[in-house]
Amino acid sequence: MRVLVTGATGWIGSALVPDLVDAGHRVVGLARSDASAAALAAAGAGAVRGSLDDLDVLRGASAASDGVIHLAFDHETAFARGDMRAAAEADRRAVEAMAEALTGTGRPFVLASGTPVEEGRTATERDGHDVPPVDAVPSAAAGAVTRMATGEYVLGLADRGVRSSVVRLPRTNHGEGDQGFVATLVRTARERGVAGYYGDGTNRWPAVHRDDSARMFRIALETAPAGSTLHAVADEGVALRDVAEVIGRRLGLPTASVPPAEAAGHFGWLAAVLAADQPASSALTRELTGWRPVRPGLLADLEAGHYFRTPA
């Protein structure tokens, strides 16, 4: 297939593009800069210049493709500027533009999303589909709810002649070069002189190696039935205390609880993510698609040592 990938030079995209190329697909990535276009060329892919705000570019590139994988999201607006709702609304417009070009074609559209949080139990692919109206939730939750609604919109494209699927990612997609949540915990431990964990440390994160999640996106593109919700989850739930203990041991630092009332001051923006117990299962996905994670789990990847190399 000729495949359009947004976010093709990002953390997961840079693993997905070579996987697609090796599988015989022709990849075109959305590139905002010369550097991104050059990275795509080095990976054996082509480039179409533009951003998520260039809706005509997205429509045209989608119409010229046999399938689309949408990984990109405006993290700068969402996190650096603190406006998740604006980023989520821009993402919805981009998704609608790409979907317009695919309607009635039977071609695949794969959207990246996140695993839901189900209080007191492990979330499955059947959860997280009852999305409240955005105006009915507190403003702080509006961005997250908008993203959830976009996922449901994509699943609904199955009724409009699109082989749509949503791949939900766990809280951490780990691996060498990761600059996400786990790397932030390591950096915070270095800065604070202690490997902290939230509360009693029993809150759990689902996790997957980014190579395994990249392969999940390819499988979804190639074979997922229309309207599929898929979980790219390897570790259903790794206790945060276990993560902190590896970090502390590898850095030669003590491990300690950070009370919830002090978490924001200690962990910064990450405190809100650490506050929820959020295990997730991929049993239904494995049964439906045959996907199996083969790369190291989160704790084994931490033990490999690459998270603790002295930054350049």
Side-chain angles (χ1 to χ4, degrees), residues 52-227:
L52 293 183
D53 294 324
D54 296 319
L55 302 185
D56 288 339
V57 171
L58 293 174
R59 287 190 195 93
S62 298
S65 299
D66 301 312
V68 175
I69 299 177
H70 179 43
L71 301 176
F73 189 73
D74 187 352
H75 291 89
E76 181 178 351
T77 296
F79 301 111
R81 300 177 189 170
D83 196 344
M84 172 64 85
R85 183 168 186 173
E89 289 174 346
D91 185 66
R92 177 59 175 264
R93 291 190 292 270
V95 167
E96 289 176 344
M98 291 183 281
E100 179 183 332
L102 297 176
T103 297
T105 65
R107 298 173 187 169
F109 183 94
V110 187
L111 174 75
S113 185
T115 54
V117 178
E118 295 295 322
E119 192 67 34
R121 64 180 180 84
T122 299
T124 78
E125 295 86 341
R126 295 191 178 102
D127 294 315
H129 297 289
D130 297 325
V131 183
V134 69
D135 294 336
V137 301
S139 58
V145 169
T146 298
R147 290 204 78 184
M148 292 171 62
T150 297
E152 295 307 297
Y153 167 80
V154 168
L155 294 176
L157 294 173
D159 296 328
R160 294 168 53 189
V162 180
R163 186 163 60 80
S164 60
S165 60
V166 173
V167 174
R168 291 171 169 175
L169 298 168
R171 292 303 168 267
T172 179
N173 279 244
H174 54 87
E176 188 161 3
D178 175 22
Q179 294 299 313
F181 292 165
V182 175
T184 300
L185 286 175
V186 173
R187 183 168 59 251
T188 300
R190 279 195 171 108
E191 293 170 351
R192 301 289 183 181
V194 60
Y197 53 86
Y198 185 97
D200 63 6
T202 58
N203 283 353
R204 293 161 291 175
W205 270 357
V208 68
H209 194 284
R210 71 150 179 171
D211 291 347
D212 286 323
S213 58
R215 188 161 41 84
M216 180 76 264
F217 278 100
R218 175 172 59 80
I219 291 172
L221 174 84
E222 294 173 343
T223 65

